[in-house]
Amino acid sequence: MRKIKTLKKNYEFKNVLTKGKFYIGKQISIYVLKNNKKINVIGIAVSTKECGAVIRNRIKRLIRENYRIIKNELKQGYDIVFLWNKKTIPKNADYHVIQSDMLKLLKKAELF
């Protein structure tokens, strides 16, 4: 099982958030920017003001798992940042809502 490549540095996130196109769903938003690599690199961000560490990490796991399931169907060569919507209550994070949001937003971004 291969590990998913992730954005680690602050400047990598800022680059995608400033130059990338964004799409907004019910629970998540995505920012997409083309990179010069042959693989997709993802970043996941949940605000520390929203909730505690346990719920924040659960949300990240849900997003990562949904991405892992569909990553082979996506076009390659993009940086993708997933953001949790601040208007959504973090305790209401649902696997299936995140999955439908992710599919809808990635189709809108023409990554399928």
Side-chain angles (χ1 to χ4, degrees), residues 3 10 21 44 59 63 69 73 80 83 91 102 109:
K3 223 174 176 184
N10 192 22
K21 292 184 179 180
I44 302 170
I59 292 169
I63 293 172
I69 291 171
E73 301 171 17
I80 306 168
L83 296 178
K91 290 183 180 179
M102 192 176 291

Side-chain angles (χ1 to χ4, degrees), residues 20-35:
K21 292 184 179 180
F22 67 95
Y23 305 90
I24 300 173
K26 291 178 185 174
Q27 290 191 342
I28 60 171
S29 303
I30 64 168
Y31 285 77
V32 179
L33 181 66
K34 186 138 178 85
N35 63 21

Side-chain angles (χ1 to χ4, degrees), residues 27 62 66 93-103:
Q27 290 191 342
L62 290 173
N66 277 306
D94 184 30
Y95 176 85
H96 298 292
V97 176
I98 292 173
Q99 182 181 31
S100 64
D101 262 2
M102 192 176 291
L103 290 172

